[in-house]
Amino acid sequence: MTSQAHWLSKNLIIVSGKGGVGKTTLATAAARYLASQGKRTLLIHVLQLGEVEQKLEKLAPNLWNITLRASDCFREYIIMKLKLKTLYTAFLGNKMTQYLERAAPGVREIVLLGKVWFERENYDHVVVDMPSTGYALTMINTPFNFAALFPGGPIYHDSKDMIETFSNPRLTSFVVVSLAEEMPVQESVELAENLKGLMPANPAHLILNRLVRVRPEALTLHDTEWRKLTDPERTSPLWRGLDFLVHRQAKQNQLLDQLKDSWAPFAKDWLQVGEIPARDENQRSIAIAELIGASRAR
Amino acid sequence: MPDNVKQLLDSNRVVVCCGSGGVGKTTTSAALAMRAAMEGKRAVVITIDPAKRLATSLGLKALSAKATDLTQNVNDVLAAQGEKPLTGRFFAVMPDTAQTFENFVRAMAGTNENLAKRVLRTSIYKIFAKEYSGTNEYMAMEKLYELYNEKDYDLVVLDTPPAANTRTFLEAPRLLADFFDDRIMKWIIAPGSKFLATGLRKLLEILEKLTGHGFVSDLIEFTTALFELRAQFMENLHTVGKLLHQDDVAFLMVTSPERLSKTDTQEFVGILDERGYRFWGFVVNRVLGRRLGLDAGAGVGAREVDKLEKELLANSGKRPADALKILRANFEQLVPTLEHELEAERFLATLSGRGGKVLLVPEQPTDVHSVSSLVQISRQLS
């Protein structure tokens, strides 16, 4: 794996996956790592639902963070494209743009994705913490729909440009985060297949989060005479803890084996982020950032 | 411990399972319905899950939009385990979510097929997200209402659609109502006030400039047709809303220690309270401590591990020191997870002060995707 081909080397890094697999943690860790390497990095959070104030904040040297609000993105877009000044924007009170963004299908998705796409020029890297699989796919579908159905306006042209950027493996990487469990993996493969249908030239990368690793010396202990002596009823939590991890690891290895085939059309590299026993998200994110750095240097 | 589950299943006719993605909501819902069937009830689970997880779990390719009697499938497994068959019956339903918005429009339009056609033939409909916020949730409520009123079941368990937040299900009707908001639609179709008309015309002009020709005229056509569905929608929403407020309807939150978000949980409980829904309690899935056989609330600090070690050695005079060290080191890998669980349990206990219950379900040895693992979980619910 050359570092050039690494998903981290792209200008636009789009992270999605099933709910609960660690998208936000991983996106944050990746952004943190890039910033620590001296790259100007923006971490963008896109919510499926809900409105929070859209405010750019600086998290660390070289690292900025923003959660998008569709009505703000929409207004910015209108002002930029139609060269409107404040006089006009009086009409575009928050309520009005919110209404329109809700009443006009696709507008929410296209302005959110558009904002992500525009920001790429202002940073070395833009890392996007996307909503989970279903809605992420809906969003990425939107420029394709606008480009096919409504020719003529700026949204049409920007949609075509967005598609070009997303399809270019030198500019954009799609990262699918998963756990090494059956359901999340199945959903990840589905997402990757759907993305490939839209952007055949730019297959997604897979990241497996929270892998289990049992020490070899613990494995050999698993079924010994000593166990029978000390835990005849197999009820001791100490032994059950070992059973649990051994079992988990066996299932996981089985799944990794199957993945070699089902993921073959997509992955050029993948990173296995192991079980990291960190108590808070920040600690965890730093630990993963270190891992990402190590994987890149490999 | 008093049998919380029995109380839940005996004193309610509807159980609504809410929760964010990846917490085992579908599994819990199915296990609750199955448990009710074990206790002699006719129970049905409604699942709205594009990933068809429940179907897979039950060893089926797909579930139908009509209630399917799966009692025999469960009994086969019970028989293989040498257990008695269900005394009740177990059904499952999966409304068709492949084209939710289309179904939604068709359901609203009823016999007026022409109206449905008008909505669905616009280009704009094609970019209308299939999973438009709220339609899945709405379809779930409709199905619930239908099954409840068939009076054919003792218990209906609703597995709410996959969502980022626990409160999504509760917010969905409002989102859809907003979408059908009189004012926006009326403005678009025939703005009443001159001031608003001017504002809206400007806004639509802007939109036309951005999207090129076709989009805005399409939007007006789409909206006009949808507007005609509005009255039906509002009426249905009102009826379903009334059902959800009845005192034989219990809401519970499914979560897991790993995925538990304090804000999300507090918001959920707060919204239930504020809107007068009945909060029953929490189901906490994938509890590792339970799987390992640790007592509820037992600590996992060095002292407790020492004690576990002593218990273990009481059975054997020998003491292979390095083996013990390895075993202990292995267990210590799990300690942060176990500590996190304890904290989660403590947090939920503070929230369930007003009589809310907390059910803990052990982490399962395998991914849950077979009838026998569902049976296993049904039994473990306590």
Side-chain angles (χ1 to χ4, degrees):
Chain A
M1 169 171 53
T2 66
S3 66
Q4 212 44 46
H6 200 281
W7 54 273
L8 268 176
S9 62
K10 313 301 162 65
N11 180 206
L12 199 51
I13 300 162
I14 299 178
V15 182
S16 184
K18 189 182 186 308
V21 296
K23 289 183 291 291
T24 305
T25 308
L26 198 110
T28 309
R32 199 181 275 281
Y33 168 75
L34 290 167
S36 76
Q37 300 299 299
K39 306 283 187 190
R40 247 178 87 82
T41 305
L42 175 65
L43 173 62
I44 299 186
H45 303 279
V46 180
L47 306 179
Q48 173 161 7
L49 260 186
E51 298 273 316
V52 294
E53 197 192 345
Q54 179 173 312
K55 208 174 75 202
L56 185 71
E57 24 166 37
K58 190 161 184 180
L59 290 186
N62 293 317
L63 181 58
W64 286 264
N65 180 73
I66 194 167
T67 303
L68 299 187
R69 176 160 64 184
S71 54
D72 291 341
C73 296
F74 193 24
R75 189 160 46 247
E76 281 174 28
Y77 188 71
I78 293 170
I79 293 170
M80 176 172 60
K81 284 293 155 177
L82 304 181
K83 313 261 184 300
L84 297 181
K85 284 280 168 264
T86 37
L87 184 69
Y88 243 72
T89 57
F91 277 120
L92 306 172
N94 229 349
K95 259 225 131 67
M96 285 287 237
T97 39
Q98 259 177 32
Y99 275 170
L100 203 55
E101 166 237 307
R102 255 189 231 139
V107 169
R108 176 175 204 269
E109 290 75 22
I110 202 79
V111 296
L112 288 172
L113 208 56
K115 168 80 172 172
V116 165
W117 179 70
F118 279 110
E119 287 295 347
R120 86 199 185 287
E121 290 189 337
N122 302 326
Y123 296 87
D124 294 323
H125 298 281
V126 172
V127 182
V128 194
D129 170 22
M130 288 284 274
S132 45
T133 42
Y135 191 64
L137 194 63
T138 299
M139 280 186 66
I140 292 168
N141 244 311
T142 313
F144 288 86
N145 286 324
F146 270 101
L149 295 171
F150 300 104
I155 288 193
Y156 170 77
H157 294 287
D158 286 337
S159 289
K160 296 195 101 169
D161 289 349
M162 268 187 233
I163 293 173
E164 221 176 284
T165 307
F166 296 154
S167 304
N168 187 340
R170 279 176 295 120
L171 301 178
T172 307
S173 53
F174 289 94
V175 176
V176 181
V177 188
S178 182
L179 304 180
E181 290 173 21
E182 200 132 340
M183 288 298 177
V185 160
Q186 196 183 317
E187 211 172 302
S188 304
V189 172
E190 268 172 37
L191 175 63
E193 275 167 359
N194 284 319
L195 289 173
K196 193 159 183 264
L198 292 173
M199 295 152 301
N202 193 8
H205 300 246
L206 177 66
I207 292 191
L208 290 171
N209 199 4
R210 295 189 209 130
L211 294 187
V212 171
R213 261 183 224 111
V214 184
R215 279 173 255 215
E217 64 270 25
L219 268 178
T220 56
L221 203 63
H222 187 226
D223 241 336
T224 52
E225 277 304 306
W226 188 56
R227 164 152 206 180
K228 280 176 206 144
L229 265 175
T230 52
D231 187 26
E233 312 281 324
R234 297 180 93 88
T235 51
S236 159
L238 286 180
W239 280 112
R240 282 185 173 188
L242 182 59
D243 290 345
F244 169 73
L245 287 176
V246 168
H247 191 90
R248 180 57 87 71
Q249 180 168 268
K251 290 289 297 177
Q252 175 185 293
N253 290 344
Q254 209 182 334
L255 200 68
L256 288 178
D257 228 38
Q258 291 165 15
L259 253 181
K260 283 200 182 106
D261 290 333
S262 61
W263 200 263
F266 312 110
K268 286 171 298 210
D269 43 52
W270 74 36
L271 171 75
Q272 303 181 352
V273 179
E275 188 89 33
I276 294 171
R279 302 220 173 132
D280 66 78
E281 276 303 296
N282 194 38
Q283 244 185 47
R284 213 182 131 73
S285 150
I286 291 169
I288 295 180
E290 281 164 6
L291 252 171
I292 290 175
S295 97
R296 205 185 174 191
R298 231 182 6 236
Chain B
M1 200 193 324
D3 196 339
N4 284 329
V5 181
K6 193 165 163 36
Q7 182 268 332
L8 170 70
L9 304 176
D10 283 350
S11 52
N12 294 290
R13 280 200 54 211
V14 175
V15 174
V16 182
C17 299
C18 299
S20 63
V23 295
K25 194 165 45 175
T26 303
T27 304
T28 304
S29 310
L32 280 170
M34 203 180 272
R35 174 69 168 266
M38 286 173 179
E39 312 211 338
K41 295 185 200 306
R42 287 176 69 85
V44 59
V45 54
I46 305 172
T47 178
I48 298 224
D49 177 8
K52 302 197 174 75
R53 230 162 312 202
L54 185 59
T56 317
S57 300
L58 295 167
L60 304 169
K61 278 234 164 60
L63 282 164
S64 117
K66 286 217 167 72
T68 313
D69 189 343
L70 296 164
T71 313
Q72 195 53 49
N73 302 44
V74 180
N75 284 346
D76 289 346
V77 169
L78 290 171
Q81 295 176 351
E83 303 278 342
K84 278 187 237 145
L86 297 177
T87 48
R89 301 202 80 83
F90 173 67
F91 299 81
V93 182
M94 190 167 95
D96 183 10
T97 56
Q99 296 173 301
T100 307
F101 192 74
E102 183 174 337
N103 289 345
F104 173 73
V105 168
R106 290 192 192 283
M108 288 301 121
T111 51
N112 192 346
E113 281 170 29
N114 206 25
L115 182 57
K117 259 188 222 146
R118 271 175 55 207
V119 176
L120 301 176
R121 73 164 174 235
T122 53
S123 285
I124 220 161
Y125 167 71
K126 298 192 182 92
I127 61 166
F128 204 86
K130 276 185 185 158
E131 293 176 37
Y132 181 79
S133 309
T135 50
N136 268 333
E137 283 78 5
Y138 178 79
M139 300 300 278
M141 290 182 198
E142 280 270 281
K143 199 67 186 174
L144 175 66
Y145 184 74
E146 181 192 319
L147 292 179
Y148 181 87
N149 282 312
E150 274 176 20
K151 301 208 187 326
D152 207 16
Y153 304 97
D154 302 311
L155 182 76
V156 186
V157 182
L158 176 63
D159 165 30
T160 60
N165 296 306
T166 309
R167 62 175 193 280
T168 307
F169 181 75
L170 304 173
E171 300 285 13
R174 192 186 50 81
L175 273 177
L176 271 179
D178 276 359
F179 177 73
F180 280 91
D181 189 323
D182 255 9
R183 284 163 304 167
I184 323 174
M185 289 215 162
K186 271 189 197 141
W187 288 358
I188 291 183
I189 299 161
S193 112
K194 212 171 159 195
F195 173 72
L196 289 177
T198 318
L200 190 78
R201 208 177 313 120
K202 279 266 180 296
L203 208 56
L204 288 178
E205 260 170 41
I206 289 171
L207 194 62
E208 181 132 46
K209 277 186 191 146
L210 292 176
T211 54
H213 298 298
F215 188 87
V216 168
S217 55
D218 226 45
L219 176 65
I220 292 172
E221 165 71 18
F222 178 76
T223 313
T224 313
L226 267 185
F227 186 70
E228 290 177 41
L229 301 175
R230 188 196 138 272
Q232 187 61 48
F233 169 74
M234 289 302 189
E235 195 188 312
N236 291 7
L237 199 62
H238 183 70
T239 324
V240 177
K242 256 172 44 193
L243 165 65
L244 291 178
H245 279 95
Q246 280 175 205
D247 60 7
D248 55 357
V249 177
F251 282 79
L252 54 86
M253 175 173 169
V254 184
T255 184
S256 70
E258 171 98 58
R259 295 281 290 139
L260 181 72
S261 144
K262 290 187 180 174
T263 356
D264 184 36
T265 311
Q266 274 158 343
E267 273 172 359
F268 176 73
V269 176
I271 291 175
L272 283 181
D273 208 36
E274 188 188 303
R275 311 220 176 135
Y277 296 113
R278 266 182 62 234
F279 175 58
W280 184 82
F282 303 97
V283 175
V284 189
N285 276 320
R286 309 194 67 165
V287 181
L288 180 62
R290 277 292 170 103
R291 164 87 188 273
L292 302 186
L294 293 167
D295 295 332
V300 282
R303 225 174 33 179
E304 282 88 359
V305 180
D306 282 346
K307 203 177 131 232
L308 290 174
E309 215 175 81
K310 217 174 271 162
E311 279 169 18
L312 188 132
L313 288 169
N315 292 321
S316 149
K318 278 184 280 173
R319 186 188 278 256
D322 51 339
L324 200 58
K325 222 163 87 192
I326 294 164
L327 193 60
R328 193 175 170 132
N330 180 76
F331 189 82
E332 271 156 10
Q333 277 187 60
L334 299 172
V335 165
T337 310
L338 293 167
E339 276 176 346
H340 182 73
E341 275 178 8
L342 291 175
E343 202 197 307
E345 275 175 53
R346 273 195 291 271
F347 168 72
L348 292 180
T350 62
L351 273 185
S352 55
R354 281 164 297 180
K357 317 279 192 300
V358 183
L359 302 184
L360 301 177
V361 181
E363 170 86 40
Q364 300 300 307
T366 54
D367 294 351
V368 181
H369 51 82
S370 66
V371 178
S372 61
S373 47
L374 266 178
V375 168
Q376 171 86 352
I377 294 181
S378 301
R379 290 215 181 92
Q380 285 171 345
L381 284 168
S382 69

